[in-house]
Amino acid sequence: MKLTKFTDLSLRAVMRLAVVGEDEPAPTTRALAESLHVPYAHLAKAVTRLAHLGVLTASRGRGGGARITALGRTASIGWLVRELEGAGEVVECEGENPCPLRAACRLRGALREAQEAFYRSLDPLTLGDLVEAPTGPVLLRLGEAPPEERSA
């Protein structure tokens, strides 16, 4: 199964936000986009959706930024991916040129079952699981100057 770029970007954003300390300033969406090397407009849409889901809070203006919520820290990654991907089918059997096999096809059901197995494999994971070492330390360094620039 292939995730949309939107879901991938959203997961990277929450992973990055998960390692921001409570005593640190909340990163802005622009700063987050720069650290993840993604377009600001794309990340802004992801942040809006994640805030709507209650996974993070986001505020604008001076002192604004994004933070992970308690739900974001404890929610199942399977649940989050389901929410971000939507309830679509793996294959499109209807539409402008409907599949002639749709009335008696076993593939559609098998693919739906495989998709659900994929999500179930993500269900036990939380954001904390995703940011454990070695990932967490790498996430903390995102957006920093390369080592050769820091020592200059």
Side-chain angles (χ1 to χ4, degrees), residues 37 141-152:
H37 305 283
R141 290 191 302 272
L142 289 180
E144 288 183 358
E148 61 276 3
E149 292 179 24
R150 277 186 265 151
S151 60

Side-chain angles (χ1 to χ4, degrees), residues 50-121:
L50 292 165
H52 178 75
L53 291 171
V55 173
L56 58 82
T57 59
S59 57
R60 293 180 175 211
R62 189 178 197 122
R67 288 218 182 266
I68 293 292
T69 63
L71 171 64
R73 293 194 182 281
T74 60
S76 157
I77 298 300
W79 168 80
L80 182 55
V81 171
R82 281 182 189 91
E83 292 296 317
L84 294 169
E85 286 290 308
E89 293 282 340
V90 177
V91 293
E92 182 60 47
C93 300
E94 306 298 331
E96 189 174 313
N97 295 314
C99 176
L101 302 174
R102 70 186 180 280
C105 182
R106 296 177 67 188
L107 177 61
R108 187 178 192 178
L111 291 173
R112 189 178 306 121
E113 189 176 314
Q115 179 183 32
E116 187 52 35
F118 171 78
Y119 290 137
R120 274 194 311 270
S121 71

Side-chain angles (χ1 to χ4, degrees), residues 3 5 9 30 42 74 90 100 109 125 130-132 134 147 152:
L3 297 177
K5 288 183 179 186
L9 177 61
R30 189 164 305 283
H42 294 230
T74 60
V90 177
L125 298 173
L130 297 183
V131 299
E132 287 180 359

Side-chain angles (χ1 to χ4, degrees), residues 4-34:
T4 61
K5 288 183 179 186
F6 179 79
T7 298
D8 175 49
L9 177 61
S10 298
L11 290 172
R12 287 191 274 156
V14 295
M15 289 172 64
R16 175 61 182 101
L17 290 171
V19 297
V20 174
E22 291 295 321
D23 56 333
E24 297 176 49
T28 64
T29 303
R30 189 164 305 283
L32 191 57
E34 288 172 9

